[in-house]
Amino acid sequence: RKEVEQDPGPFNVPEGATVAFNCTYSNSASQSFFWYRQDCRKEPKLLMSVYSSGNEDGRFTAQLNRASQYISLLIRDSKLSDSATYLCASLGGSTLGRLYFGRGTQLTVWP
Amino acid sequence: NAGVTQTPKFQVLKTGQSMTLQCAQDMNHEYMSWYRQDPGMGLRLIHYSVGAGITDQGEVPNGYNVSRSTTEDFPLRLLSAAPSQTSVYFCASSYRPGTGLASQYFGPGTRLLVL
């Protein structure tokens, strides 16, 4: 079983829509969680860290549910510029410093 | 700061050739890693290092070597290139996990084609 599982999508939504991605992780000892954004043919870039209490950055909200071992990313009022692949990652508990990535969820926002 | 830099951006190799992918960071990060990304496979960890002189294998280490003689540099060596190594390679770095600053920063990638 992969450390991090993610629905690959694709998600196709109109501008202004709200879209949510979920990601499950298998290692209950995982310490930290992140969402990355990757544009086509570019490197992944950190979108936001995920805190236990949940956190918000503008139109983006990340949440962590340790009991069910999943993290989520909510994007409100989608923009065309949000079209990208979104990768979730967990910082492994068993191997110090190792970041485990999901395979990514592709989002396309259409006008 | 330049962040994480990778060279070359593109490379074409013939089967059996060897080469080194360069990675450097100027953020004084202790932790560095190499990933390959293939369609439908996501990011797969090749090798990583938690500090100068310390390296370890990731998920797909076969056919690759690394060394970490300085904090700044973490080169990846392909010993004898094979078509299966055609991929996009990303180098990443971060502060030590547990410091609260463990999010990784990625270089721009190297696109490698092995014929």
Side-chain angles (χ1 to χ4, degrees), chain B residues 31-44:
Chain B
Y31 188 90
M32 296 186 74
S33 52
W34 276 102
Y35 297 87
R36 59 178 289 174
Q37 188 174 39
D38 304 289
M41 300 296 291
L43 287 161
R44 292 186 291 171

Side-chain angles (χ1 to χ4, degrees), chain B residues 60-79:
Chain B
V60 288
N62 291 342
Y64 307 95
N65 271 359
V66 292
S67 59
R68 184 96 178 269
S69 56
T70 67
T71 299
E72 294 78 19
D73 300 296
F74 191 42
L76 178 72
R77 280 182 287 278
L78 277 69
L79 308 172

Side-chain angles (χ1 to χ4, degrees), chain B residues 8-52:
Chain B
K9 285 186 168 52
F10 305 96
Q11 184 70 49
V12 180
L13 291 178
K14 294 181 180 177
T15 295
Q17 287 184 314
S18 63
M19 79 161 293
T20 299
L21 279 62
Q22 301 291 345
C23 175
Q25 52 90 11
D26 61 359
M27 297 175 281
N28 203 30
H29 284 168
E30 294 162 290
Y31 188 90
M32 296 186 74
S33 52
W34 276 102
Y35 297 87
R36 59 178 289 174
Q37 188 174 39
D38 304 289
M41 300 296 291
L43 287 161
R44 292 186 291 171
L45 183 65
I46 305 171
H47 285 284
Y48 65 101
S49 168
V50 299

Side-chain angles (χ1 to χ4, degrees), chain A residues 36 38 41 43 95 97-98, chain B residues 31 37 48 97 104 107 111:
Chain A
Y36 283 78
Q38 185 174 25
R41 301 181 69 80
E43 72 272 24
T95 304
R98 181 164 171 179
Chain B
Y31 188 90
Q37 188 174 39
Y48 65 101
Q104 291 194 359
R111 283 172 171 71

Side-chain angles (χ1 to χ4, degrees), chain B residues 50-109:
Chain B
V50 299
I54 307 169
T55 64
D56 206 348
Q57 296 181 348
E59 187 182 352
V60 288
N62 291 342
Y64 307 95
N65 271 359
V66 292
S67 59
R68 184 96 178 269
S69 56
T70 67
T71 299
E72 294 78 19
D73 300 296
F74 191 42
L76 178 72
R77 280 182 287 278
L78 277 69
L79 308 172
S80 177
S84 60
Q85 293 179 304
T86 293
S87 188
V88 181
Y89 292 85
F90 289 106
C91 178
S93 73
S94 71
Y95 289 109
R96 186 191 318 158
T99 62
L101 299 170
S103 54
Q104 291 194 359
Y105 295 85
F106 284 80

